Amino acid sequence: MIRCADVTKSYDLAGRSVAALRGVSFEIPARGFYAIMGASGSGKSTLLHLLGGIDAADSGEIEIGQARIDGLDEARLTRFRRRGVGIVFQQFNLIATMTAADNVALPGLIAGEPAGAMRERALSLLERLGLGDRASHRPEALSGGEQQRVAIARSLLFEPPVLLADEPTGNLDSASSEKLWSVLGELASEHEMTVVMVTHEPAAAAHCERVLVLRDGLVAGEINAEHRDAGDLAAEYQRLCGA
Ligand code: ADP
Ligand code: MG
């Protein structure tokens, strides 16, 4: 379903090359709810951006679904970004002057889809995420957890088979975080999606099936997270990171 083989990525920083990923290989064979953990700077966001096709690897292979996404031409890459994957960033990136429903429908309008159908779909997604009564609110009238769920609804507009979320609960209190992890887990199991969430919170990873641990741009190991609580996971994570 998702496969990376020897993926590398460096950034140029003031003429100096910074290696963000130094040969990352892993496989997510089946649908489900997965986490990527690692210290700050270990390459989590870089990996998520490559999986989402919003940045290109320097070398290596990336397969999502049945398709290789490294080396796609611009037209196919645009289609993949729109239909093949949904991305939720840590900052909600909602448009302040638009209602929740309009924010969710916007990618559809940009893609030239009929407005009425997009609005209907936006409302049903907001409903599904427990925000049916917030559809006509602007972001400023929503809590952080509600705004994050609007951003998730927006990422689901085209029903992508894969949802990528970068520290989705980084700005939320623990009650809102718990709610959001449950929603992501439900999306993975009920809607036959693969959800990959970047997090540094063991409590978040405990909701997942498996945790990929990154360290200095490499895979330090994987943790089977089923039947583990947050404390247990944190200990295993510390062991893998040698911290
Ligand atoms: P994480 O999300 O795990 O904190 P990142 O993937 O954001 O890590 O970053 C990995 C490494 O790449 C870090 O050393 C970071 O400073 C560097 N990096 C990330 N993005 C850029 C960029 N746009 N320009 C230069 N360096 C970057
Ligand atoms: Mg990051």
CSV table of all heavy atoms in Angstrom, one decimal, residues 87-142:
chain,number,residue,atom,x,y,z
A,87,ILE,N,-3.8,15.8,2.8
A,87,ILE,CA,-2.8,16.2,3.7
A,87,ILE,C,-3.4,17.2,4.7
A,87,ILE,O,-4.1,18.1,4.3
A,87,ILE,CB,-1.6,16.8,3.0
A,87,ILE,CG1,-1.0,15.8,2.0
A,87,ILE,CG2,-0.5,17.2,4.0
A,87,ILE,CD1,0.3,16.3,1.3
A,88,VAL,N,-3.1,17.0,6.0
A,88,VAL,CA,-3.5,17.9,7.0
A,88,VAL,C,-2.2,18.4,7.7
A,88,VAL,O,-1.4,17.7,8.2
A,88,VAL,CB,-4.4,17.2,8.1
A,88,VAL,CG1,-4.9,18.3,9.1
A,88,VAL,CG2,-5.5,16.5,7.4
A,89,PHE,N,-2.0,19.7,7.6
A,89,PHE,CA,-0.8,20.3,8.2
A,89,PHE,C,-1.1,20.7,9.6
A,89,PHE,O,-2.3,20.9,10.1
A,89,PHE,CB,-0.4,21.6,7.4
A,89,PHE,CG,0.0,21.2,6.0
A,89,PHE,CD1,-0.9,21.3,4.9
A,89,PHE,CD2,1.2,20.7,5.7
A,89,PHE,CE1,-0.6,21.0,3.6
A,89,PHE,CE2,1.6,20.4,4.4
A,89,PHE,CZ,0.7,20.5,3.3
A,90,GLN,N,0.0,21.0,10.3
A,90,GLN,CA,-0.1,21.3,11.7
A,90,GLN,C,-0.9,22.6,11.9
A,90,GLN,O,-1.7,22.8,12.8
A,90,GLN,CB,1.3,21.4,12.4
A,90,GLN,CG,1.2,21.7,13.8
A,90,GLN,CD,2.6,21.4,14.5
A,90,GLN,OE1,3.5,21.0,13.9
A,90,GLN,NE2,2.6,21.6,15.8
A,91,GLN,N,-0.5,23.6,11.1
A,91,GLN,CA,-1.3,24.9,11.1
A,91,GLN,C,-2.5,24.6,10.3
A,91,GLN,O,-2.3,24.0,9.2
A,91,GLN,CB,-0.5,26.0,10.5
A,91,GLN,CG,1.0,26.1,10.9
A,91,GLN,CD,1.9,25.1,10.2
A,91,GLN,OE1,1.4,24.3,9.4
A,91,GLN,NE2,3.2,25.2,10.5
A,92,PHE,N,-3.6,25.0,10.7
A,92,PHE,CA,-4.9,24.5,10.0
A,92,PHE,C,-5.0,25.1,8.6
A,92,PHE,O,-5.6,24.5,7.8
A,92,PHE,CB,-6.1,24.9,10.8
A,92,PHE,CG,-5.9,24.6,12.3
A,92,PHE,CD1,-6.1,25.7,13.2
A,92,PHE,CD2,-5.5,23.4,12.8
A,92,PHE,CE1,-5.9,25.4,14.6
A,92,PHE,CE2,-5.3,23.1,14.1
A,92,PHE,CZ,-5.5,24.2,15.0
A,93,ASN,N,-4.3,26.2,8.3
A,93,ASN,CA,-4.4,26.8,7.0
A,93,ASN,C,-5.8,27.0,6.5
A,93,ASN,O,-6.1,26.8,5.3
A,93,ASN,CB,-3.7,25.9,5.9
A,93,ASN,CG,-2.2,25.9,6.2
A,93,ASN,OD1,-1.6,26.7,7.0
A,93,ASN,ND2,-1.5,25.0,5.5
A,94,LEU,N,-6.7,27.5,7.4
A,94,LEU,CA,-8.1,27.8,6.9
A,94,LEU,C,-8.1,29.3,6.5
A,94,LEU,O,-7.3,30.1,7.0
A,94,LEU,CB,-9.1,27.5,8.1
A,94,LEU,CG,-9.2,26.1,8.6
A,94,LEU,CD1,-10.1,26.0,9.8
A,94,LEU,CD2,-9.6,25.1,7.5
A,95,ILE,N,-9.0,29.6,5.6
A,95,ILE,CA,-9.2,30.9,5.2
A,95,ILE,C,-10.2,31.7,6.1
A,95,ILE,O,-11.3,31.2,6.3
A,95,ILE,CB,-9.7,31.0,3.7
A,95,ILE,CG1,-8.5,30.4,2.9
A,95,ILE,CG2,-10.0,32.4,3.3
A,95,ILE,CD1,-8.8,30.3,1.4
A,96,ALA,N,-9.7,32.7,6.7
A,96,ALA,CA,-10.4,33.4,7.8
A,96,ALA,C,-11.7,34.0,7.4
A,96,ALA,O,-12.6,34.0,8.2
A,96,ALA,CB,-9.5,34.5,8.5
A,97,THR,N,-11.8,34.4,6.2
A,97,THR,CA,-13.0,35.1,5.8
A,97,THR,C,-14.1,34.2,5.2
A,97,THR,O,-15.2,34.6,4.9
A,97,THR,CB,-12.7,36.1,4.6
A,97,THR,OG1,-12.0,35.4,3.6
A,97,THR,CG2,-11.8,37.2,5.1
A,98,MET,N,-13.8,32.9,5.2
A,98,MET,CA,-14.8,31.9,4.7
A,98,MET,C,-15.3,31.0,5.8
A,98,MET,O,-14.7,30.7,6.8
A,98,MET,CB,-14.1,31.0,3.6
A,98,MET,CG,-13.7,31.8,2.4
A,98,MET,SD,-12.7,30.7,1.2
A,98,MET,CE,-14.1,29.8,0.5
A,99,THR,N,-16.6,30.6,5.6
A,99,THR,CA,-17.2,29.7,6.6
A,99,THR,C,-16.5,28.3,6.5
A,99,THR,O,-15.8,28.0,5.6
A,99,THR,CB,-18.7,29.5,6.2
A,99,THR,OG1,-18.8,28.8,5.0
A,99,THR,CG2,-19.5,30.8,6.2
A,100,ALA,N,-16.8,27.5,7.5
A,100,ALA,CA,-16.2,26.2,7.6
A,100,ALA,C,-16.6,25.4,6.3
A,100,ALA,O,-15.7,24.8,5.7
A,100,ALA,CB,-16.7,25.4,8.8
A,101,ALA,N,-17.9,25.5,5.9
A,101,ALA,CA,-18.3,24.7,4.7
A,101,ALA,C,-17.6,25.2,3.5
A,101,ALA,O,-17.2,24.3,2.7
A,101,ALA,CB,-19.8,24.8,4.5
A,102,ASP,N,-17.4,26.5,3.3
A,102,ASP,CA,-16.7,27.0,2.1
A,102,ASP,C,-15.3,26.6,2.1
A,102,ASP,O,-14.7,26.3,1.1
A,102,ASP,CB,-16.9,28.5,2.0
A,102,ASP,CG,-18.3,28.9,1.7
A,102,ASP,OD1,-19.1,28.0,1.2
A,102,ASP,OD2,-18.7,30.1,1.9
A,103,ASN,N,-14.6,26.6,3.3
A,103,ASN,CA,-13.3,26.2,3.4
A,103,ASN,C,-13.1,24.8,3.0
A,103,ASN,O,-12.2,24.4,2.2
A,103,ASN,CB,-12.8,26.3,4.9
A,103,ASN,CG,-12.0,27.6,5.2
A,103,ASN,OD1,-10.9,27.8,4.7
A,103,ASN,ND2,-12.7,28.5,5.9
A,104,VAL,N,-14.1,23.9,3.4
A,104,VAL,CA,-14.0,22.5,3.0
A,104,VAL,C,-14.2,22.3,1.5
A,104,VAL,O,-13.5,21.5,0.8
A,104,VAL,CB,-15.0,21.7,3.8
A,104,VAL,CG1,-15.1,20.2,3.3
A,104,VAL,CG2,-14.7,21.7,5.3
A,105,ALA,N,-15.1,23.1,0.9
A,105,ALA,CA,-15.5,22.9,-0.5
A,105,ALA,C,-14.5,23.5,-1.4
A,105,ALA,O,-14.4,23.2,-2.6
A,105,ALA,CB,-16.9,23.5,-0.7
A,106,LEU,N,-13.6,24.5,-0.9
A,106,LEU,CA,-12.7,25.2,-1.8
A,106,LEU,C,-11.9,24.4,-2.7
A,106,LEU,O,-11.8,24.8,-3.9
A,106,LEU,CB,-11.9,26.2,-0.9
A,106,LEU,CG,-11.0,27.2,-1.6
A,106,LEU,CD1,-11.9,28.1,-2.4
A,106,LEU,CD2,-10.1,27.9,-0.7
A,107,PRO,N,-11.2,23.4,-2.3
A,107,PRO,CA,-10.4,22.6,-3.2
A,107,PRO,C,-11.2,22.1,-4.4
A,107,PRO,O,-10.6,22.0,-5.5
A,107,PRO,CB,-9.8,21.5,-2.4
A,107,PRO,CG,-9.9,21.9,-1.0
A,107,PRO,CD,-11.1,22.8,-0.9
A,108,GLY,N,-12.4,21.8,-4.2
A,108,GLY,CA,-13.3,21.3,-5.3
A,108,GLY,C,-13.6,22.4,-6.3
A,108,GLY,O,-13.6,22.2,-7.5
A,109,LEU,N,-13.8,23.6,-5.7
A,109,LEU,CA,-14.1,24.8,-6.6
A,109,LEU,C,-12.9,25.1,-7.5
A,109,LEU,O,-12.9,25.4,-8.7
A,109,LEU,CB,-14.6,26.0,-5.8
A,109,LEU,CG,-15.8,25.7,-4.9
A,109,LEU,CD1,-16.3,27.0,-4.3
A,109,LEU,CD2,-16.9,25.1,-5.7
A,110,ILE,N,-11.7,25.0,-6.8
A,110,ILE,CA,-10.4,25.3,-7.5
A,110,ILE,C,-10.2,24.3,-8.6
A,110,ILE,O,-9.7,24.6,-9.7
A,110,ILE,CB,-9.2,25.3,-6.5
A,110,ILE,CG1,-9.3,26.5,-5.6
A,110,ILE,CG2,-7.9,25.3,-7.2
A,110,ILE,CD1,-8.3,26.5,-4.4
A,111,ALA,N,-10.7,23.1,-8.3
A,111,ALA,CA,-10.5,22.0,-9.3
A,111,ALA,C,-11.5,22.1,-10.4
A,111,ALA,O,-11.5,21.2,-11.3
A,111,ALA,CB,-10.5,20.6,-8.7
A,112,GLY,N,-12.5,23.0,-10.3
A,112,GLY,CA,-13.5,23.2,-11.3
A,112,GLY,C,-14.7,22.3,-11.2
A,112,GLY,O,-15.5,22.1,-12.1
A,113,GLU,N,-14.9,21.7,-10.0
A,113,GLU,CA,-16.1,20.8,-9.8
A,113,GLU,C,-17.3,21.7,-9.5
A,113,GLU,O,-17.2,22.9,-9.1
A,113,GLU,CB,-15.8,19.9,-8.5
A,113,GLU,CG,-14.6,19.0,-8.6
A,113,GLU,CD,-14.9,17.8,-9.6
A,113,GLU,OE1,-16.0,17.5,-9.8
A,113,GLU,OE2,-13.9,17.3,-10.1
A,114,PRO,N,-18.5,21.2,-9.8
A,114,PRO,CA,-19.7,22.0,-9.6
A,114,PRO,C,-19.9,22.4,-8.1
A,114,PRO,O,-19.8,21.6,-7.2
A,114,PRO,CB,-20.9,21.0,-10.0
A,114,PRO,CG,-20.3,19.7,-10.3
A,114,PRO,CD,-18.8,19.8,-10.3
A,115,ALA,N,-20.2,23.7,-7.9
A,115,ALA,CA,-20.3,24.3,-6.6
A,115,ALA,C,-21.3,23.6,-5.7
A,115,ALA,O,-21.1,23.3,-4.5
A,115,ALA,CB,-20.6,25.8,-6.7
A,116,GLY,N,-22.5,23.3,-6.3
A,116,GLY,CA,-23.6,22.7,-5.5
A,116,GLY,C,-23.2,21.3,-4.9
A,116,GLY,O,-23.4,21.1,-3.7
A,117,ALA,N,-22.6,20.5,-5.8
A,117,ALA,CA,-22.2,19.2,-5.3
A,117,ALA,C,-21.1,19.3,-4.3
A,117,ALA,O,-21.1,18.5,-3.3
A,117,ALA,CB,-21.7,18.4,-6.5
A,118,MET,N,-20.2,20.2,-4.5
A,118,MET,CA,-19.1,20.4,-3.5
A,118,MET,C,-19.6,20.8,-2.2
A,118,MET,O,-19.1,20.4,-1.1
A,118,MET,CB,-18.0,21.3,-4.1
A,118,MET,CG,-17.2,20.8,-5.2
A,118,MET,SD,-16.3,19.3,-4.8
A,118,MET,CE,-17.2,18.0,-5.6
A,119,ARG,N,-20.6,21.7,-2.2
A,119,ARG,CA,-21.1,22.2,-0.9
A,119,ARG,C,-21.8,21.1,-0.2
A,119,ARG,O,-21.7,21.0,1.0
A,119,ARG,CB,-22.1,23.4,-1.2
A,119,ARG,CG,-22.6,24.0,0.0
A,119,ARG,CD,-23.3,25.3,-0.1
A,119,ARG,NE,-23.9,25.6,1.2
A,119,ARG,CZ,-23.2,26.2,2.2
A,119,ARG,NH1,-21.9,26.5,2.0
A,119,ARG,NH2,-23.7,26.4,3.4
A,120,GLU,N,-22.6,20.3,-0.9
A,120,GLU,CA,-23.3,19.2,-0.3
A,120,GLU,C,-22.3,18.2,0.3
A,120,GLU,O,-22.5,17.8,1.5
A,120,GLU,CB,-24.1,18.4,-1.4
A,120,GLU,CG,-25.5,18.1,-1.1
A,120,GLU,CD,-26.2,17.6,-2.3
A,120,GLU,OE1,-26.1,16.4,-2.6
A,120,GLU,OE2,-26.8,18.5,-3.0
A,121,ARG,N,-21.2,17.9,-0.4
A,121,ARG,CA,-20.2,17.0,0.1
A,121,ARG,C,-19.5,17.6,1.3
A,121,ARG,O,-19.3,16.9,2.3
A,121,ARG,CB,-19.2,16.7,-1.0
A,121,ARG,CG,-18.1,15.9,-0.6
A,121,ARG,CD,-17.8,14.7,-1.6
A,121,ARG,NE,-16.7,14.0,-1.0
A,121,ARG,CZ,-16.8,13.1,0.0
A,121,ARG,NH1,-17.9,12.8,0.5
A,121,ARG,NH2,-15.7,12.5,0.5
A,122,ALA,N,-19.3,18.9,1.3
A,122,ALA,CA,-18.6,19.6,2.4
A,122,ALA,C,-19.5,19.5,3.7
A,122,ALA,O,-19.0,19.2,4.8
A,122,ALA,CB,-18.4,21.1,2.1
A,123,LEU,N,-20.8,19.7,3.5
A,123,LEU,CA,-21.7,19.6,4.6
A,123,LEU,C,-21.7,18.2,5.2
A,123,LEU,O,-21.8,18.0,6.4
A,123,LEU,CB,-23.1,20.0,4.2
A,123,LEU,CG,-23.2,21.6,3.9
A,123,LEU,CD1,-24.6,21.9,3.4
A,123,LEU,CD2,-22.9,22.4,5.2
A,124,SER,N,-21.7,17.2,4.3
A,124,SER,CA,-21.8,15.8,4.8
A,124,SER,C,-20.5,15.4,5.5
A,124,SER,O,-20.5,14.7,6.5
A,124,SER,CB,-22.2,14.8,3.7
A,124,SER,OG,-21.1,14.2,3.1
A,125,LEU,N,-19.4,15.9,5.0
A,125,LEU,CA,-18.1,15.7,5.7
A,125,LEU,C,-18.1,16.3,7.1
A,125,LEU,O,-17.6,15.7,8.1
A,125,LEU,CB,-16.9,16.2,4.9
A,125,LEU,CG,-16.5,15.3,3.7
A,125,LEU,CD1,-15.6,16.0,2.8
A,125,LEU,CD2,-15.9,14.0,4.2
A,126,LEU,N,-18.5,17.6,7.2
A,126,LEU,CA,-18.5,18.3,8.5
A,126,LEU,C,-19.5,17.5,9.4
A,126,LEU,O,-19.1,17.4,10.6
A,126,LEU,CB,-19.0,19.7,8.3
A,126,LEU,CG,-18.0,20.6,7.6
A,126,LEU,CD1,-18.6,22.0,7.2
A,126,LEU,CD2,-16.8,20.8,8.5
A,127,GLU,N,-20.6,17.1,8.9
A,127,GLU,CA,-21.5,16.3,9.7
A,127,GLU,C,-20.8,15.0,10.3
A,127,GLU,O,-20.8,14.7,11.5
A,127,GLU,CB,-22.7,15.8,8.8
A,127,GLU,CG,-23.9,15.2,9.5
A,127,GLU,CD,-24.7,16.3,10.2
A,127,GLU,OE1,-25.0,17.3,9.6
A,127,GLU,OE2,-25.1,16.0,11.3
A,128,ARG,N,-20.1,14.3,9.4
A,128,ARG,CA,-19.4,13.1,9.8
A,128,ARG,C,-18.3,13.4,10.8
A,128,ARG,O,-18.0,12.5,11.7
A,128,ARG,CB,-18.7,12.5,8.5
A,128,ARG,CG,-18.2,11.1,8.7
A,128,ARG,CD,-18.0,10.5,7.3
A,128,ARG,NE,-16.6,10.5,7.0
A,128,ARG,CZ,-16.1,10.2,5.8
A,128,ARG,NH1,-16.9,10.0,4.8
A,128,ARG,NH2,-14.8,10.1,5.6
A,129,LEU,N,-17.7,14.5,10.8
A,129,LEU,CA,-16.7,14.9,11.8
A,129,LEU,C,-17.3,15.6,13.0
A,129,LEU,O,-16.6,16.2,13.8
A,129,LEU,CB,-15.6,15.7,11.1
A,129,LEU,CG,-14.7,14.9,10.1
A,129,LEU,CD1,-13.9,15.9,9.3
A,129,LEU,CD2,-13.8,13.9,10.9
A,130,GLY,N,-18.6,15.5,13.1
A,130,GLY,CA,-19.2,16.1,14.3
A,130,GLY,C,-19.3,17.6,14.3
A,130,GLY,O,-19.4,18.2,15.4
A,131,LEU,N,-19.3,18.2,13.1
A,131,LEU,CA,-19.3,19.7,13.0
A,131,LEU,C,-20.5,20.2,12.2
A,131,LEU,O,-20.5,21.3,11.7
A,131,LEU,CB,-18.0,20.2,12.4
A,131,LEU,CG,-16.7,20.0,13.1
A,131,LEU,CD1,-15.5,20.3,12.2
A,131,LEU,CD2,-16.7,20.8,14.4
A,132,GLY,N,-21.6,19.4,12.2
A,132,GLY,CA,-22.7,19.7,11.4
A,132,GLY,C,-23.3,21.1,11.8
A,132,GLY,O,-23.7,21.9,10.9
A,133,ASP,N,-23.3,21.4,13.0
A,133,ASP,CA,-23.8,22.7,13.5
A,133,ASP,C,-22.8,23.8,13.4
A,133,ASP,O,-23.1,24.9,13.9
A,133,ASP,CB,-24.4,22.5,14.9
A,133,ASP,CG,-23.3,22.1,15.9
A,133,ASP,OD1,-22.2,21.6,15.4
A,133,ASP,OD2,-23.5,22.2,17.1
A,134,ARG,N,-21.6,23.6,12.9
A,134,ARG,CA,-20.6,24.6,12.8
A,134,ARG,C,-20.4,25.1,11.3
A,134,ARG,O,-19.5,25.9,11.1
A,134,ARG,CB,-19.3,24.1,13.4
A,134,ARG,CG,-19.4,23.8,14.8
A,134,ARG,CD,-19.4,25.0,15.7
A,134,ARG,NE,-19.2,24.7,17.1
A,134,ARG,CZ,-20.1,24.4,17.9
A,134,ARG,NH1,-21.4,24.3,17.4
A,134,ARG,NH2,-19.9,24.1,19.2
A,135,ALA,N,-21.1,24.5,10.4
A,135,ALA,CA,-20.8,24.7,9.0
A,135,ALA,C,-20.8,26.1,8.5
A,135,ALA,O,-20.0,26.5,7.7
A,135,ALA,CB,-21.8,23.9,8.1
A,136,SER,N,-21.6,27.0,9.2
A,136,SER,CA,-21.6,28.4,8.7
A,136,SER,C,-20.8,29.3,9.6
A,136,SER,O,-20.9,30.5,9.4
A,136,SER,CB,-23.1,28.8,8.6
A,136,SER,OG,-23.7,28.7,9.9
A,137,HIS,N,-20.0,28.7,10.5
A,137,HIS,CA,-19.1,29.5,11.3
A,137,HIS,C,-17.8,29.8,10.6
A,137,HIS,O,-17.3,29.0,9.9
A,137,HIS,CB,-18.8,28.8,12.6
A,137,HIS,CG,-19.9,28.6,13.6
A,137,HIS,ND1,-21.2,28.2,13.2
A,137,HIS,CD2,-20.0,28.8,14.9
A,137,HIS,CE1,-22.0,28.2,14.3
A,137,HIS,NE2,-21.2,28.6,15.3
A,138,ARG,N,-17.3,31.0,10.8
A,138,ARG,CA,-15.9,31.3,10.4
A,138,ARG,C,-14.9,30.7,11.4
A,138,ARG,O,-15.3,30.5,12.5
A,138,ARG,CB,-15.7,32.8,10.2
A,138,ARG,CG,-16.5,33.4,9.1
A,138,ARG,CD,-16.1,34.9,9.0
A,138,ARG,NE,-17.3,35.6,8.6
A,138,ARG,CZ,-17.8,35.7,7.4
A,138,ARG,NH1,-17.3,34.9,6.4
A,138,ARG,NH2,-18.9,36.4,7.1
A,139,PRO,N,-13.7,30.4,10.9
A,139,PRO,CA,-12.7,29.8,11.8
A,139,PRO,C,-12.5,30.5,13.1
A,139,PRO,O,-12.4,29.8,14.1
A,139,PRO,CB,-11.4,30.0,11.0
A,139,PRO,CG,-11.8,29.9,9.5
A,139,PRO,CD,-13.2,30.6,9.5
A,140,GLU,N,-12.6,31.8,13.2
A,140,GLU,CA,-12.4,32.5,14.5
A,140,GLU,C,-13.4,32.1,15.5
A,140,GLU,O,-13.2,32.3,16.7
A,140,GLU,CB,-12.4,34.0,14.2
A,140,GLU,CG,-13.8,34.5,13.7
A,140,GLU,CD,-13.8,36.0,13.5
A,140,GLU,OE1,-12.8,36.7,13.6
A,140,GLU,OE2,-14.9,36.5,13.2
A,141,ALA,N,-14.6,31.6,15.0
A,141,ALA,CA,-15.6,31.2,16.0
A,141,ALA,C,-15.5,29.8,16.4
A,141,ALA,O,-16.4,29.2,17.0
A,141,ALA,CB,-17.0,31.5,15.4
A,142,LEU,N,-14.5,29.1,15.9
A,142,LEU,CA,-14.3,27.7,16.2
A,142,LEU,C,-13.1,27.5,17.2
A,142,LEU,O,-12.1,28.2,17.1
A,142,LEU,CB,-14.0,26.9,14.9
A,142,LEU,CG,-15.1,27.0,13.9
A,142,LEU,CD1,-14.6,26.4,12.6
A,142,LEU,CD2,-16.4,26.3,14.3
